[in-house]
Amino acid sequence: QSALTQPASVSGSPGQSITISCTGTSSDVGGYNYVSWYQQHPGKAPKLMIYEVTNRPSGVSTRFSGSKSGNTASLTISGLQAEDEADYYCTSYTSSSTLDVFGTGTKVTVL
Amino acid sequence: QVQLQESGPGLVKPSETLSLTCAVSGYSISSGYYWGWIRQPPGKGLEWIGSIYHSGYTYYNPSLKSRVTISVDTSKNQFSLKLSSVTAADTAVYYCAKDLGYCDSTSCTYFFDNWGQGTLVTVSS
């Protein structure tokens, strides 16, 4: 079973801001500040964009930010650029024995 | 700069064992961190397979636990994946990665900050 639910797709125009949600439960997203986000371009390995809900690894653009409210975590991309078009996945520490630690994935399209 | 590189057969026959190795450069595995394997079937999402600490403690996805073995060789600065009794459903790109976070008896944090380029493994006769 997929523990973390994401919208299948999100789109926006260049320069706009978009938000991707990651909905879990109190056993994962809501219970711990251990949410991370990955960006994956076609044919490439995933790239860590956010960890511990809000932290950006060195080298990740400040246009990417993370937040959490209750059982839902969010990734916001500000000033959308063509290079942001990719698939995005969330993960979370979980106290339940889930089979799927990665979210269902969201395809971001830049119009 | 930490770099990871997967290696192993690109084609495995059904019912046989898939074996991959991840060579790490730029960092000594024995110094710490958790190291993981993640796979992605063609056109599908990411699936965590398991992780290992430099001391050898392992953590596996419950759905694969009965077929998976992850080991570490600190003398060669590499870690390995073995997946037994493979079927076509195991066809995927397999990635190795370094985890910024940690694992405990309950879960891992899955903060994979360095990844290998990935290797496609096809299960077919």
Side-chain angles (χ1 to χ4, degrees), chain B residues 66-77:
Chain B
S66 63
R67 299 194 292 131
V68 173
T69 301
I70 297 176
S71 59
V72 64
D73 186 338
T74 55
S75 67
K76 295 182 178 179
N77 214 39

Side-chain angles (χ1 to χ4, degrees), chain A residues 36 38 40 93-94 99 101, chain B residues 40 61 95 104 107 110 112:
Chain A
S36 57
Y38 295 87
Q40 186 180 33
Y93 182 100
T94 176
L99 305 183
V101 302
Chain B
Q40 186 171 35
N61 185 322
Y95 296 100
D104 60 25
S107 178
Y110 315 112
F112 296 110

Side-chain angles (χ1 to χ4, degrees), chain A residues 12-25:
Chain A
S13 299
Q16 286 187 329
S17 293
I18 62 170
T19 296
I20 304 167
S21 61
C22 172
T23 301
T25 68

Side-chain angles (χ1 to χ4, degrees), chain B residues 8-95:
Chain B
L11 181 64
V12 181
K13 290 182 168 54
S15 80
E16 294 190 343
T17 296
L18 178 161
S19 295
L20 295 174
T21 296
C22 181
V24 179
S25 59
Y27 185 84
S28 174
I29 286 181
S30 58
S31 295
Y33 290 120
Y34 287 80
W35 306 84
W37 287 97
I38 303 99
R39 69 180 183 179
Q40 186 171 35
K44 296 187 177 180
L46 300 168
E47 181 180 31
W48 174 69
I49 300 171
S51 295
I52 189 166
Y53 194 49
H54 69 89
S55 60
Y57 281 107
T58 53
Y59 307 83
Y60 298 135
N61 185 322
S63 70
L64 299 170
K65 189 174 182 178
S66 63
R67 299 194 292 131
V68 173
T69 301
I70 297 176
S71 59
V72 64
D73 186 338
T74 55
S75 67
K76 295 182 178 179
N77 214 39
Q78 65 187 34
F79 59 106
S80 301
L81 167 70
K82 290 187 184 300
L83 181 64
S84 64
S85 305
V86 297
T87 69
D90 295 309
T91 293
V93 174
Y94 285 75
Y95 296 100

Side-chain angles (χ1 to χ4, degrees), chain A residues 33-36 38 40 43-48 51-52 89 91-102, chain B residues 38 40 44-48 61-63 95 100 102 104-113 115-118:
Chain A
N33 289 324
Y34 290 140
V35 175
S36 57
Y38 295 87
Q40 186 180 33
K44 300 294 187 182
K47 176 184 178 182
L48 181 66
Y51 67 101
E52 290 180 332
Y89 296 90
T91 72
S92 174
Y93 182 100
T94 176
S95 60
S96 65
S97 57
T98 179
L99 305 183
D100 295 320
V101 302
F102 285 95
Chain B
I38 303 99
Q40 186 171 35
K44 296 187 177 180
L46 300 168
E47 181 180 31
W48 174 69
N61 185 322
S63 70
Y95 296 100
L100 261 183
Y102 71 94
D104 60 25
S105 59
T106 301
S107 178
C108 298
T109 51
Y110 315 112
F111 299 158
F112 296 110
D113 65 332
W115 294 65
Q117 64 185 23

Side-chain angles (χ1 to χ4, degrees), chain A residues 30-94:
Chain A
Y32 308 92
N33 289 324
Y34 290 140
V35 175
S36 57
W37 289 91
Y38 295 87
Q39 174 193 66
Q40 186 180 33
H41 288 109
K44 300 294 187 182
K47 176 184 178 182
L48 181 66
M49 305 302 284
I50 296 287
Y51 67 101
E52 290 180 332
V53 181
T54 62
N55 293 337
R56 273 187 307 275
S58 174
V60 172
S61 171
T62 56
R63 297 186 299 105
F64 292 84
S65 62
S67 63
K68 189 183 83 168
S69 177
N71 296 336
T72 298
S74 298
L75 174 71
T76 298
I77 309 175
S78 305
L80 198 62
Q81 299 179 0
E83 66 202 51
D84 300 331
E85 189 161 289
D87 293 325
Y88 292 81
Y89 296 90
C90 63
T91 72
S92 174
Y93 182 100
T94 176

